[in-house]
Short mmCIF file of all heavy atoms in Angstrom, two decimals:
data_model
loop_
_atom_site.label_atom_id
_atom_site.label_comp_id
_atom_site.label_asym_id
_atom_site.label_seq_id
_atom_site.Cartn_x
_atom_site.Cartn_y
_atom_site.Cartn_z
N GLU M 704 13.80 -78.85 113.31
CA GLU M 704 12.73 -78.52 112.72
C GLU M 704 13.12 -78.21 111.15
O GLU M 704 12.28 -78.44 110.34
CB GLU M 704 12.13 -77.20 113.29
CG GLU M 704 10.79 -76.88 112.59
CD GLU M 704 10.18 -75.54 113.16
OE1 GLU M 704 10.84 -74.54 113.49
OE2 GLU M 704 8.98 -75.55 113.26
N MET M 729 12.78 -103.74 112.31
CA MET M 729 12.67 -102.74 113.37
C MET M 729 12.98 -103.16 114.79
O MET M 729 13.44 -102.38 115.53
CB MET M 729 11.12 -102.52 113.45
CG MET M 729 10.54 -101.68 112.22
SD MET M 729 8.80 -101.55 112.65
CE MET M 729 8.11 -102.57 111.70
N ASP M 730 13.07 -104.52 114.93
CA ASP M 730 13.48 -105.09 116.25
C ASP M 730 14.80 -104.48 116.70
O ASP M 730 15.06 -104.17 118.04
CB ASP M 730 13.59 -106.58 116.37
CG ASP M 730 12.11 -107.20 116.08
OD1 ASP M 730 11.15 -106.61 116.62
OD2 ASP M 730 11.98 -108.08 115.25
N PHE M 740 15.28 -91.03 122.63
CA PHE M 740 14.28 -90.37 123.49
C PHE M 740 14.62 -90.23 124.91
O PHE M 740 13.83 -89.72 125.86
CB PHE M 740 12.87 -91.13 123.23
CG PHE M 740 12.36 -90.91 121.99
CD1 PHE M 740 12.25 -91.85 121.10
CD2 PHE M 740 11.83 -89.60 121.54
CE1 PHE M 740 11.63 -91.64 119.75
CE2 PHE M 740 11.26 -89.32 120.28
CZ PHE M 740 11.18 -90.42 119.46
N GLY M 745 11.81 -85.27 121.39
CA GLY M 745 12.47 -85.89 120.32
C GLY M 745 11.47 -86.16 119.13
O GLY M 745 10.23 -86.18 119.38
N TYR M 746 11.92 -86.31 117.84
CA TYR M 746 11.02 -86.56 116.75
C TYR M 746 11.85 -87.49 115.84
O TYR M 746 12.96 -87.25 115.40
CB TYR M 746 10.72 -85.34 116.12
CG TYR M 746 9.45 -85.22 115.18
CD1 TYR M 746 8.37 -84.36 115.54
CD2 TYR M 746 9.39 -85.98 114.07
CE1 TYR M 746 7.26 -84.31 114.63
CE2 TYR M 746 8.27 -86.05 113.18
CZ TYR M 746 7.24 -85.08 113.53
OH TYR M 746 6.13 -84.97 112.71
N VAL M 747 11.20 -88.79 115.61
CA VAL M 747 11.82 -89.67 114.74
C VAL M 747 10.96 -90.10 113.58
O VAL M 747 9.66 -90.14 113.94
CB VAL M 747 12.26 -90.86 115.48
CG1 VAL M 747 12.84 -91.98 114.49
CG2 VAL M 747 13.48 -90.67 116.50
N PHE M 749 10.15 -92.65 110.41
CA PHE M 749 10.30 -93.82 109.61
C PHE M 749 9.73 -93.47 108.22
O PHE M 749 8.59 -93.11 108.26
CB PHE M 749 9.66 -95.10 110.05
CG PHE M 749 10.25 -95.72 111.36
CD1 PHE M 749 11.21 -95.08 112.05
CD2 PHE M 749 9.70 -96.92 111.90
CE1 PHE M 749 11.83 -95.68 113.18
CE2 PHE M 749 10.24 -97.53 113.00
CZ PHE M 749 11.42 -97.00 113.76
N THR M 751 9.15 -94.71 104.34
CA THR M 751 9.08 -95.85 103.48
C THR M 751 8.45 -95.43 102.10
O THR M 751 7.24 -95.43 102.02
CB THR M 751 8.43 -97.10 104.18
OG1 THR M 751 8.63 -97.27 105.33
CG2 THR M 751 8.58 -98.33 103.25
N SER M 754 5.21 -90.32 99.75
CA SER M 754 3.83 -90.13 100.23
C SER M 754 2.83 -90.59 99.35
O SER M 754 2.95 -90.65 98.00
CB SER M 754 3.65 -88.47 100.37
OG SER M 754 2.29 -88.28 100.18
N ARG M 755 1.87 -91.30 99.80
CA ARG M 755 0.86 -91.99 98.99
C ARG M 755 -0.49 -91.92 99.52
O ARG M 755 -0.79 -91.77 100.76
CB ARG M 755 1.28 -93.43 98.79
CG ARG M 755 1.19 -94.33 100.08
CD ARG M 755 1.79 -95.70 99.90
NE ARG M 755 3.24 -95.49 99.48
CZ ARG M 755 3.93 -96.39 98.71
NH1 ARG M 755 3.39 -97.27 98.10
NH2 ARG M 755 5.16 -96.04 98.49
N THR M 756 -1.60 -92.27 98.78
CA THR M 756 -2.88 -92.37 99.28
C THR M 756 -3.69 -93.39 98.19
O THR M 756 -3.15 -93.62 97.17
CB THR M 756 -3.65 -91.03 99.18
OG1 THR M 756 -4.89 -91.21 99.83
CG2 THR M 756 -3.92 -90.50 97.76
N ASP M 758 -7.19 -93.11 98.62
CA ASP M 758 -8.49 -92.70 99.17
C ASP M 758 -9.56 -92.40 98.12
O ASP M 758 -10.74 -92.32 98.46
CB ASP M 758 -8.26 -91.42 100.15
CG ASP M 758 -8.00 -91.81 101.56
OD1 ASP M 758 -8.13 -93.03 101.92
OD2 ASP M 758 -7.83 -90.81 102.27
N GLU M 760 -11.34 -94.16 95.19
CA GLU M 760 -11.70 -95.54 94.60
C GLU M 760 -10.42 -96.51 94.84
O GLU M 760 -10.09 -97.24 93.87
CB GLU M 760 -11.81 -95.28 93.15
CG GLU M 760 -13.13 -94.53 92.86
CD GLU M 760 -13.70 -94.82 91.41
OE1 GLU M 760 -13.11 -95.60 90.66
OE2 GLU M 760 -14.61 -94.07 91.04
N GLY M 766 2.35 -89.17 96.12
CA GLY M 766 2.48 -87.74 96.34
C GLY M 766 1.15 -86.99 96.77
O GLY M 766 0.60 -86.29 95.98
N HIS M 768 0.53 -85.34 100.40
CA HIS M 768 1.10 -84.17 101.17
C HIS M 768 2.62 -84.23 101.45
O HIS M 768 3.19 -83.19 101.65
CB HIS M 768 0.46 -84.17 102.58
CG HIS M 768 -1.08 -83.98 102.54
ND1 HIS M 768 -1.56 -83.03 101.84
CD2 HIS M 768 -2.06 -84.83 102.84
CE1 HIS M 768 -2.96 -82.94 101.98
NE2 HIS M 768 -3.24 -84.13 102.65
N GLY M 769 3.32 -85.24 101.22
CA GLY M 769 4.72 -85.34 101.42
C GLY M 769 5.36 -85.36 100.01
O GLY M 769 4.68 -85.17 99.00
N THR S 1353 -7.11 -82.99 106.96
CA THR S 1353 -6.13 -82.97 105.94
C THR S 1353 -5.91 -84.40 105.27
O THR S 1353 -5.21 -84.45 104.19
CB THR S 1353 -4.74 -82.37 106.39
OG1 THR S 1353 -4.45 -83.21 107.55
CG2 THR S 1353 -4.95 -80.89 106.91
N GLY S 1356 -9.21 -88.54 102.32
CA GLY S 1356 -10.47 -89.16 102.39
C GLY S 1356 -11.35 -88.47 103.51
O GLY S 1356 -12.62 -88.12 103.41
N ARG S 1379 -15.06 -91.59 91.88
CA ARG S 1379 -14.19 -90.50 91.28
C ARG S 1379 -15.16 -89.29 90.83
O ARG S 1379 -14.68 -88.13 90.84
CB ARG S 1379 -13.31 -90.95 90.29
CG ARG S 1379 -13.97 -91.61 89.00
CD ARG S 1379 -13.12 -92.13 88.06
NE ARG S 1379 -12.51 -93.50 88.54
CZ ARG S 1379 -11.69 -94.19 87.86
NH1 ARG S 1379 -11.05 -93.77 86.82
NH2 ARG S 1379 -11.33 -95.46 88.29
N LYS S 1404 -3.74 -84.11 93.45
CA LYS S 1404 -2.99 -82.88 93.60
C LYS S 1404 -3.87 -81.66 94.02
O LYS S 1404 -3.31 -80.63 94.47
CB LYS S 1404 -2.37 -82.72 92.07
CG LYS S 1404 -1.44 -83.59 91.74
CD LYS S 1404 -0.18 -83.75 92.63
CE LYS S 1404 0.73 -84.90 92.18
NZ LYS S 1404 0.91 -85.96 93.23
N ARG S 1407 -3.40 -81.60 97.51
CA ARG S 1407 -2.06 -81.25 97.80
C ARG S 1407 -2.01 -79.66 97.78
O ARG S 1407 -1.47 -78.97 98.80
CB ARG S 1407 -0.98 -81.76 96.98
CG ARG S 1407 0.44 -81.44 97.15
CD ARG S 1407 1.35 -82.18 96.21
NE ARG S 1407 2.91 -81.83 96.37
CZ ARG S 1407 3.65 -82.57 97.08
NH1 ARG S 1407 3.23 -83.57 97.87
NH2 ARG S 1407 4.93 -82.31 97.28
N ARG S 1411 -2.02 -77.14 101.36
CA ARG S 1411 -0.73 -76.59 101.79
C ARG S 1411 -0.89 -75.25 102.46
O ARG S 1411 -0.39 -75.05 103.66
CB ARG S 1411 0.17 -76.32 100.53
CG ARG S 1411 1.10 -77.48 100.26
CD ARG S 1411 2.18 -77.69 101.25
NE ARG S 1411 2.59 -79.12 101.15
CZ ARG S 1411 3.70 -79.56 100.47
NH1 ARG S 1411 4.31 -78.64 99.77
NH2 ARG S 1411 3.98 -80.81 100.44
N ASN S 1439 0.06 -92.64 105.80
CA ASN S 1439 0.58 -92.77 104.40
C ASN S 1439 0.78 -91.54 103.51
O ASN S 1439 1.59 -91.31 102.80
CB ASN S 1439 -0.22 -93.63 103.47
CG ASN S 1439 0.01 -95.06 103.63
OD1 ASN S 1439 1.27 -95.43 103.50
ND2 ASN S 1439 -0.89 -96.00 103.91
N GLU S 1440 0.04 -90.53 103.94
CA GLU S 1440 -0.02 -89.34 103.14
C GLU S 1440 1.11 -88.35 103.44
O GLU S 1440 1.33 -87.50 102.58
CB GLU S 1440 -1.46 -88.76 103.21
CG GLU S 1440 -2.63 -89.61 102.64
CD GLU S 1440 -3.98 -88.99 102.63
OE1 GLU S 1440 -4.10 -87.77 102.92
OE2 GLU S 1440 -4.78 -89.65 102.19
N THR S 1447 1.79 -82.13 112.87
CA THR S 1447 2.51 -81.96 114.11
C THR S 1447 3.78 -81.17 114.04
O THR S 1447 4.35 -81.03 115.06
CB THR S 1447 2.95 -83.51 114.50
OG1 THR S 1447 3.71 -83.98 113.49
CG2 THR S 1447 1.79 -84.38 114.84
N TYR S 1466 8.76 -99.84 123.44
CA TYR S 1466 8.96 -99.84 122.05
C TYR S 1466 8.59 -101.14 121.44
O TYR S 1466 8.02 -101.32 120.44
CB TYR S 1466 10.50 -99.37 121.77
CG TYR S 1466 10.86 -99.48 120.34
CD1 TYR S 1466 10.50 -98.60 119.30
CD2 TYR S 1466 11.57 -100.66 119.88
CE1 TYR S 1466 10.79 -98.76 118.04
CE2 TYR S 1466 12.02 -100.82 118.55
CZ TYR S 1466 11.56 -99.79 117.61
OH TYR S 1466 11.98 -99.99 116.26
N LYS S 1474 4.19 -104.10 113.10
CA LYS S 1474 4.50 -105.29 112.10
C LYS S 1474 3.22 -105.73 111.61
O LYS S 1474 3.28 -106.32 110.37
CB LYS S 1474 5.24 -106.32 112.73
CG LYS S 1474 6.68 -106.08 112.93
CD LYS S 1474 7.39 -107.32 113.56
CE LYS S 1474 8.86 -107.08 113.79
NZ LYS S 1474 9.52 -108.06 114.58
N SER S 1487 3.90 -95.41 104.54
CA SER S 1487 4.96 -94.45 104.09
C SER S 1487 5.69 -93.78 105.27
O SER S 1487 6.91 -93.61 105.29
CB SER S 1487 4.28 -93.36 103.14
OG SER S 1487 3.93 -93.92 102.06
N VAL S 1489 6.03 -93.52 109.61
CA VAL S 1489 5.64 -93.78 111.08
C VAL S 1489 6.42 -92.61 111.80
O VAL S 1489 7.64 -92.44 111.70
CB VAL S 1489 6.27 -95.23 111.56
CG1 VAL S 1489 5.77 -95.35 112.96
CG2 VAL S 1489 5.67 -96.21 110.68
N TRP S 1491 7.37 -90.78 115.37
CA TRP S 1491 7.52 -90.95 116.74
C TRP S 1491 7.68 -89.60 117.42
O TRP S 1491 8.82 -88.91 117.13
CB TRP S 1491 8.64 -91.83 117.04
CG TRP S 1491 8.71 -93.12 116.21
CD1 TRP S 1491 9.00 -93.33 114.99
CD2 TRP S 1491 8.27 -94.50 116.79
NE1 TRP S 1491 8.92 -94.64 114.47
CE2 TRP S 1491 8.46 -95.39 115.63
CE3 TRP S 1491 7.62 -94.90 117.94
CZ2 TRP S 1491 8.01 -96.80 115.76
CZ3 TRP S 1491 7.39 -96.21 117.96
CH2 TRP S 1491 7.52 -97.17 117.00
N LYS S 1493 7.96 -87.16 121.00
CA LYS S 1493 7.90 -86.94 122.42
C LYS S 1493 8.20 -85.49 122.78
O LYS S 1493 9.00 -84.91 122.25
CB LYS S 1493 9.05 -87.84 123.08
CG LYS S 1493 9.27 -87.66 124.48
CD LYS S 1493 10.23 -88.52 125.17
CE LYS S 1493 10.35 -88.39 126.68
NZ LYS S 1493 11.36 -89.17 127.28
N ALA S 1499 9.73 -72.88 115.42
CA ALA S 1499 10.24 -71.48 115.40
C ALA S 1499 9.17 -70.50 115.71
O ALA S 1499 9.38 -69.54 116.22
CB ALA S 1499 10.80 -71.21 113.95
#
Side-chain angles (χ1 to χ4, degrees):
Chain M
E704 188 181 35
M729 285 186 260
D730 296 320
F740 288 108
Y746 200 117
V747 171
F749 286 8
T751 313
S754 148
R755 69 189 62 214
T756 186
D758 272 352
E760 291 197 11
H768 297 300
Chain S
T1353 60
R1379 61 185 77 188
K1404 295 300 176 243
R1407 183 181 179 91
R1411 269 293 156 93
N1439 267 317
E1440 297 187 358
T1447 56
Y1466 172 79
K1474 281 185 180 168
S1487 295
V1489 181
W1491 310 80
K1493 177 177 182 180

